[in-house]
Amino acid sequence: MITRPPSRRLPRRRPAALAAAVALLATGCSAYGATDDSSDSDGRPSGSRAGGIKVTMVTHGSEGDAFWDRVKRGAEAAAAKDGIELTYLSDPDPAGQADLVREAVRDGVDGIALTLAKPAAMRGPVNEARAADIPVVGLNSGIDAWKSAGLLEYFGQDESVAGRAVGDKLDELKAKHALCVVHERGNVALEARCAGVKKTFGGTTENLYVDGTDMRAVSGIITARLRQDPTIDEVITNGADFALTAVDAVAEADSGADVATFDLNNDLVEAVRGGNVQFAVDQQPYLQGYLAVDALWLYRTNGNISGGGVAPVLTGPAFVTKANAASVAGFAADGTR
């Protein structure tokens, strides 16, 4: 699905402040073909608009997914602060996502933020953006692919590191057999998480592939697998909604397995507080959306490149357990964690 929330347009910046940023832009934009003449005739940075810089964020999120609502809210907060006209678009189909990026390039936006869940699908659109001198930053997915894809910066969690941390956590909890539920086959971030769990977990790890667009089917498949193998004592999911579904599946299967997850939302935090979910790994999606948009503003107005263009800016992992869930609950209720 494609979501197109209203763009926001805020007052233009003062010409004096923009003129002061021009000299910095000349040195900071070389990766995208900027020249020494990087300002418009009225002193605005190249690509800026009278009503503010235009940025498009294109993710692979599905409509109604609370995780992506948090990404969007972070992006909107940064846009409001920076006076950016923001358009948020999403399509879980990689071809559809690629088309949205190409549309943004044709619209002549000043910056693009995107996810690299399927890096190969984004290679062409990113090259088109670079050819048009449009800076592109990555967020959330593609930490191993962002540099080779030609992105300027990256904001997210190292999913392999997060997976290994979960594997260590399972060892601490004395688990023996973990089921890692992958709700989107081929998604590099989800695959990296489960591979990371397997790398450090001393017990058995197996992946269970499900169709994340059909939650009833997800529940049924998890229930069936738990009934088939009562040695499974841990279910690891890759999203808060899937964790809550797994809790019901465990009960339906009359299994003794515990449930833990990557990512969280308000209901998930309450489930951790209540003991129904052991722990969650928070990659801070609000922060990812915020930093990605803010980074494009900083690049356009001051030539800044977070991480120097060679290292990602990590937003996780952070463990949310029963011991600290209360301190996170208020933010989760507000839709920012």
Side-chain angles (χ1 to χ4, degrees), residues 177 204 206 223-233 255 257:
H177 187 170
T204 300
E206 64 172 279
T223 299
R225 185 70 191 101
L226 292 173
R227 285 173 173 167
Q228 289 170 355
D229 192 343
T231 70
I232 297 171
D233 57 1
S255 168

Side-chain angles (χ1 to χ4, degrees), residues 245-289:
T245 295
V247 169
D248 292 338
V250 166
E252 180 68 21
D254 196 23
S255 168
D258 291 305
V259 176
T261 190
F262 294 89
D263 303 331
L264 70 157
N265 59 22
N266 185 41
D267 291 339
L268 193 284
V269 171
E270 293 305 314
V272 172
R273 293 180 74 179
N276 292 321
V277 174
Q278 279 184 310
F279 63 84
V281 179
D282 184 16
Q283 62 175 300
Q284 302 185 98
Y286 178 94
L287 185 60
Q288 292 173 5

Side-chain angles (χ1 to χ4, degrees), residues 122-164:
M122 293 296 103
R123 190 168 295 120
V126 169
N127 287 338
E128 292 174 26
R130 286 171 55 86
D133 288 335
I134 298 173
V136 184
V137 302
L139 69 150
N140 180 259
S141 298
I143 196 169
D144 294 325
W146 71 275
K147 283 195 289 186
S148 62
L151 272 57
L152 189 68
E153 305 163 70
Y154 180 85
F155 305 92
Q157 176 174 263
D158 187 323
E159 304 296 2
S160 179
V161 170
R164 294 198 296 271

Side-chain angles (χ1 to χ4, degrees), residues 293-336:
V293 171
D294 199 40
L296 288 166
W297 179 80
L298 287 167
Y299 180 72
R300 278 299 194 185
T301 61
N302 204 45
N304 297 120
I305 302 177
S306 299
V310 297
V313 177
L314 299 181
T315 62
F319 280 94
V320 177
T321 66
K322 193 172 184 178
N324 66 358
S327 64
V328 178
F331 301 116
D334 289 339
T336 57

